[in-house]
Amino acid sequence: MPEPIKPKPSSPPVNSRQLIPQVNTSKTQNIVEQIVKTIDGLTEGLQKYPIRDLVKHAEEFGPYLKQQRLETNQVRKFLDAVNRLKADLTETGEFSKIETEIVLLKPKLAYAAARQRAAKPLGEVMSAAIDKVHSKEDFERLVQLLESIIAYHKAEGGK
């Protein structure tokens, strides 16, 4: 006699709200990994970061940072330091005079990430970018990346 067909065990009902954080977390990790991977693949410096890719990445990354509740004041020292270096470079035009200070931005990012977890993804991306800065053109692309990320963060309602 054939065995009766057993009904398939049903999976527990899934609340659609429960899925959203998982999707967003995955997407978030993907955008951080995607940006870092792109930057790590730049063998000739950050200046070779295609501008359309940079903007596309910033467009996804800025809202993600807002979602993580990153506030601009949490990375204020970093932003101030970058703006000061940008002004110094404009004034002197000599990259070698600001190179050390650029590399020393990484500890500032690490400090911000240690104080506020929401700053960690920004620290990961910007640290990878700083590692690829070896010229004035690389630094200019770093500034473009940071300004783009912050612009999309603010456009999303970030403070």
Side-chain angles (χ1 to χ4, degrees), residues 76-109 126 130 133 135-140 142-144 146-147:
R76 175 61 53 201
K77 286 184 180 182
F78 177 73
L79 295 172
D80 289 347
V82 168
N83 286 331
R84 199 170 38 254
L85 291 173
K86 185 178 168 184
D88 289 350
L89 185 61
T90 300
E91 186 178 309
T92 66
E94 294 181 48
F95 175 75
S96 62
K97 292 190 174 182
I98 64 167
E99 185 173 10
T100 301
E101 294 301 317
I102 292 170
V103 175
L104 289 173
L105 291 173
K106 289 178 72 174
K108 286 183 168 83
L109 288 166
M126 296 311 296
I130 289 168
V133 174
S135 68
K136 179 180 175 182
E137 292 77 17
D138 290 335
F139 178 70
E140 289 169 351
L142 177 78
V143 171
Q144 291 170 341
L146 180 62
E147 289 175 346

